[in-house]
Amino acid sequence: MKAVIQHEFGDSHVLQLAEMETPIISEDEVLIKTAYTSVNYADIKSRKGKKGKGRFPFTLGLDAAGTVVEAGEFSGFDAGDRVIAFPLGGSYAEYVRAHKQLTFKIPKELSFEQAAAMPTVSILSYILLHDIGQVKKSDTIVVHSGAGGVGSMLIQLAKLAGVETVMATVGNLNKEDYVKRMGADHVCTYDTFSEEVLQMTNGRGAQVVFDSVAGEVTMASMDCLGLYGTLVQFGNSCGSAGHFKTSDVHSSCRNVKGFSLGTTRKHRPDMLAPAAERVIELFAAGKVTLPIAKVFDLSEAKQAHDLIESRAYEGKVLIKA
């Protein structure tokens, strides 16, 4: 089979198309013919070596949509099942293997293209909103990086849940129209959001802030987080750590919660099924959607990464296998 591999950390030039052995599955795994895989920002960090050591050569990619071509005896799946999955050993490949707990059936009415856009960002967003953030309808919430995949999903899921006020941040206001189409009530830049949140809420601040950026954005988020509010921290796309003091939380009764989908896939995969089933239903019914920014061929993984790093896109970037 063809797969994209890398033999060293570095820029997008390290991504190479190569012939690899098709994976061999165990009795509780499935072999999937990949239709599409999505490109996530975590792939960029992994390619550069910012997510720990790698055993070379390795294949990037967190999720995939496709068709089961071989099912292990105890997997609970059959050949021909249409699925989304979090594969073992990467997803930039024509065939991938996945554990049964990280594989989910999808209905015929959900296209592979739309299905491939959703696994990481939609399941993550659903858990962040309902389980970690425990957002209520009356809340004012802040969603950072509102034009990205997770931001697009958080905004849509929040409005679907009836959340009263959703404020989103963007790096450039030329993305404002897109973010408002996703359902955001207010859009602002990282430079001004803290002041605007306080102004909008008459100084009370937001109840929940979803932060995947870290760095100075985390500190500004604490500045506009209200009493008893929650900062949900789930990434550091800016590349630097965010900071807060213990005095920022105890007297104001505020709290900071962290979450990682990667950690959960590894240690608590059972947590994913309820969220996966719900978002698959929502996508199949057309209640939420993820715009596809561009689709690249497997041989164009470098160009896909370059587009992600440019941040000059809206929605999701896919690779067709």
Side-chain angles (χ1 to χ4, degrees):
M1 69 169 189
K2 288 183 172 61
V4 176
I5 63 171
Q6 64 181 89
H7 291 275
E8 61 182 326
F9 294 127
D11 65 20
S12 60
H13 289 89
V14 302
L15 301 176
Q16 302 174 2
L17 189 64
E19 284 289 337
M20 303 288 288
E21 292 291 326
T22 302
I24 297 172
I25 63 168
S26 68
E27 59 190 12
D28 55 2
E29 295 174 349
V30 292
L31 182 68
I32 301 164
K33 174 66 179 76
T34 309
Y36 296 91
T37 179
S38 74
V39 183
N40 293 282
Y41 197 78
D43 299 345
I44 309 298
K45 295 180 71 175
S46 294
R47 189 199 74 218
K48 293 179 176 181
K50 293 183 178 179
K51 291 182 76 69
K53 296 178 181 178
R55 183 179 295 176
F56 299 112
F58 66 82
T59 296
L60 293 171
L62 299 177
D63 52 33
T67 305
V68 174
V69 293
E70 185 184 345
E73 183 181 359
F74 303 117
S75 69
F77 291 87
D78 297 302
D81 285 343
R82 303 172 80 251
V83 296
I84 56 172
F86 296 105
L88 298 156
S91 60
Y92 293 13
E94 291 182 314
Y95 292 89
V96 297
R97 69 183 179 101
H99 190 272
K100 63 183 181 181
Q101 282 190 301
L102 297 175
T103 305
F104 311 96
K105 292 181 183 179
I106 59 172
K108 291 179 180 178
E109 57 264 35
L110 183 57
S111 72
F112 279 134
E113 199 172 78
Q114 189 64 199
M118 61 171 284
T120 295
V121 296
S122 65
I123 294 172
L124 171 60
S125 296
Y126 193 90
I127 293 172
L128 289 174
L129 192 77
H130 295 286
D131 299 332
I132 310 301
Q134 299 178 346
V135 169
K136 300 185 293 294
K137 290 183 178 181
S138 59
D139 285 347
T140 292
I141 71 171
V142 178
V143 176
H144 288 312
S145 195
V150 177
S152 298
M153 281 309 309
L154 274 171
I155 293 166
Q156 289 183 78
L157 290 172
K159 295 313 287 187
L160 194 64
V163 175
E164 196 167 289
T165 306
V166 178
M167 193 159 188
T169 61
V170 291
N172 191 312
L173 284 176
N174 62 14
K175 296 182 179 181
E176 181 176 7
D177 288 344
Y178 167 81
V179 176
K180 284 190 172 178
R181 287 200 305 276
M182 293 298 100
D185 299 294
H186 302 276
V187 181
C188 51
T189 67
Y190 298 118
D191 296 327
T192 63
F193 80 89
S194 188
E195 298 163 14
E196 292 189 42
V197 168
L198 291 171
Q199 187 175 1
M200 270 177 40
T201 58
N202 294 318
R204 292 188 301 273
Q207 278 74 46
V208 187
V209 178
F210 294 96
D211 174 22
S212 62
V213 182
E216 293 182 3
V217 169
T218 297
M219 292 175 271
S221 296
M222 292 300 291
D223 290 340
C224 67
L225 186 65
L227 297 176
Y228 300 92
T230 300
L231 174 67
V232 178
Q233 216 296 317
F234 63 102
N236 66 330
S237 62
C238 79
S240 61
H243 299 277
F244 62 90
K245 303 186 296 292
T246 53
S247 58
D248 288 335
V249 292
H250 71 84
S251 60
S252 58
C253 302
R254 300 183 298 180
N255 63 90
V256 178
K257 292 185 179 181
F259 186 78
S260 163
L261 191 64
T263 300
T264 304
R265 287 197 308 269
K266 183 177 180 181
H267 296 287
R268 291 286 306 277
D270 55 292
M271 281 184 64
L272 303 184
E277 290 169 10
R278 182 62 182 135
V279 295
I280 288 168
E281 289 174 6
L282 293 173
F283 271 88
K287 292 184 178 178
V288 293
T289 186
L290 271 169
I292 308 300
K294 192 164 183 178
V295 180
F296 293 87
D297 288 329
L298 203 57
S299 60
E300 300 173 315
K302 175 194 176 299
Q303 291 93 316
H305 275 226
D306 289 343
L307 179 59
I308 293 287
E309 290 191 89
S310 76
R311 300 190 183 273
Y313 69 97
E314 297 167 344
K316 288 295 292 180
V317 174
L318 301 183
I319 292 176
K320 187 178 188 300

